[in-house]
Amino acid sequence: MSIWWFAFGYFACYVPYSALVKALSSGLLPGVPAQHELALLPWSNVAAMVTAMTFITAAGWWRFAGRRVVFGRSLPWPSKGTALSGLGSSAVIVTTTLAYTFDGVSIVFIMLLLRGGVLVLAPLVDGLAGRRVRVTSWIALGLSLGSLVVAFVGSGGGAAVSGLVLLDVAVYLAAYFVRLRVMSHQAKTDDPDVARRYFVEEQLVATPAVVLALVLAAALGPASVAAPLRAGFAGDAGALAVGLTVLVGVMSQGTGIFGGLILLDRRENSFCVPVNRASSMLAGLVASLVVAAIAGRAGPPASEYVGAALVIAAILVLSVPGVVTARRRRAA
């Protein structure tokens, strides 16, 4: 499938994912009490794990994974690199969900911090890996960064950045740096089977590691952490809240699947990352409109629409090489 179809799937999953997390944590949904940010993690991540394993099974991709004999049985097994990337993905999953629960921080604003940071990382990772960065990728990268700067300035965002927000962003960016570095070394090839192997092995670690960590934290963590996690596992907020939290997990894993397939494209990170980030920025803008409608508030400021226009321009620039290549093939 084309990377642009993956970008559409990423967008389609990210809108309900981010909007639901913000609505659930803010108590905006009728009949559903506001959820503690940690209480959202248990069932959403269990659902994400089930979704990931279901996708791999339905796609028939288990055969691409490495194998190891355990107690006489051959089981899918990650390499050291994909296991490390999987742990990075675990951190991305948790920090992304928590990012949309911070009081006084909008969906688009937190995206400026998360997405802008990864956009800056992309050419650095390519440079470290010795990969050539095309001119169109640099132009699209500049447009994407410009969209983030415009929206950031327009939101007057500096005051919303607390120490907890900065910690969340720092962990997120560190995790993405690890993922991009490992991908560049192990999965950026012309062989699609290599990318599939990487994807499966990373997923073997990512969501199971999160679920295991949540179980241990609920059982052994301090009361401030264990209590909301136990409430989340027990479904204290009611069946409707649990059902919506499960939907959050399914959509979250949808973004993980489509987002991972975008990043695993054989082209340089300075191309793939803007495609990934542009999709999520547009989704964040739409999700902000949805949340504003639910809450009866005004929509995003004009600066964020300007930022969206720059993102669309970046997508158009990124599509140029593919269009030119397709026309040359038809002419031949």
Side-chain angles (χ1 to χ4, degrees):
M1 290 179 62
S2 166
I3 191 173
W4 303 108
W5 281 111
F6 295 147
F8 174 76
Y10 190 69
F11 169 85
C13 290
Y14 216 106
V15 171
Y17 162 59
S18 53
L20 274 174
V21 171
K22 177 59 74 173
L24 285 168
S25 62
S26 303
L28 299 178
L29 300 176
V32 180
Q35 304 294 294
H36 189 285
E37 57 268 22
L38 295 179
L40 292 172
L41 296 179
W43 282 109
S44 65
N45 282 285
V46 170
M49 180 175 66
V50 173
T51 302
M53 301 307 130
T54 300
F55 172 82
I56 294 171
T57 302
W61 285 5
W62 288 113
R63 68 184 186 276
F64 297 111
R67 314 289 294 189
R68 176 174 291 187
V69 176
V70 180
F71 298 117
R73 298 190 62 180
S74 178
L75 300 176
W77 203 266
S79 67
K80 290 181 180 179
T82 52
L84 179 62
S85 183
L87 292 176
S89 183
S90 299
V92 168
I93 292 168
V94 174
T95 52
T96 301
T97 299
L98 291 178
Y100 299 127
T101 67
F102 294 123
D103 291 334
V105 180
S106 71
I107 292 174
V108 174
F109 176 73
I110 196 66
M111 278 189 163
L112 303 179
L113 301 180
L114 301 180
R115 275 52 185 162
V118 177
L119 284 168
V120 172
L121 288 178
L124 298 179
V125 172
D126 280 330
L128 291 172
R131 296 178 63 87
R132 183 178 67 89
V133 181
R134 292 180 295 183
V135 173
T136 51
S137 294
W138 282 114
I139 294 172
L141 181 61
L143 288 169
S144 299
L145 284 171
S147 74
L148 300 177
V149 171
V150 168
F152 182 87
V153 172
S155 69
V161 181
S162 66
L164 192 58
V165 171
L166 289 177
L167 176 61
D168 186 88
V169 171
V171 174
Y172 176 92
L173 294 179
Y176 245 109
F177 179 79
V178 170
R179 289 188 72 203
L180 292 175
R181 283 285 287 161
V182 177
M183 282 183 185
S184 294
H185 283 285
Q186 295 194 10
K188 290 283 190 179
T189 73
D190 292 330
D191 186 352
D193 289 352
V194 172
R196 292 175 185 135
R197 175 173 181 162
Y198 183 95
F199 178 87
V200 173
E201 292 184 4
E202 185 185 54
Q203 292 302 314
L204 278 172
V205 175
T207 49
V210 175
V211 172
L212 177 60
L214 292 174
V215 169
L216 292 176
L220 305 174
S224 59
V225 172
L229 288 177
R230 290 172 186 169
F233 275 116
D236 289 352
L240 179 57
V242 171
L244 291 173
T245 303
V246 167
L247 182 58
V248 165
V250 173
M251 292 296 102
S252 170
Q253 188 56 42
T255 68
I257 291 169
F258 289 114
L261 292 174
I262 291 170
L263 295 177
L264 284 170
D265 187 90
R266 62 185 175 83
R267 284 163 284 196
E268 71 270 17
N269 290 300
S270 299
F271 171 82
C272 299
V273 169
V275 172
N276 180 292
R277 304 294 88 176
S279 300
S280 61
M281 278 300 299
L282 289 174
L285 186 61
V286 173
S288 293
L289 290 170
V290 172
V291 171
I294 293 173
R297 302 170 184 165
S303 60
E304 293 180 6
Y305 289 105
V306 174
L310 290 172
V311 166
I312 293 171
I315 293 173
L316 292 174
V317 170
L318 288 171
S319 68
V320 168
V323 171
V324 171
T325 300
R327 286 182 177 178
R328 286 176 178 172
R329 287 175 179 171
R330 284 196 297 268

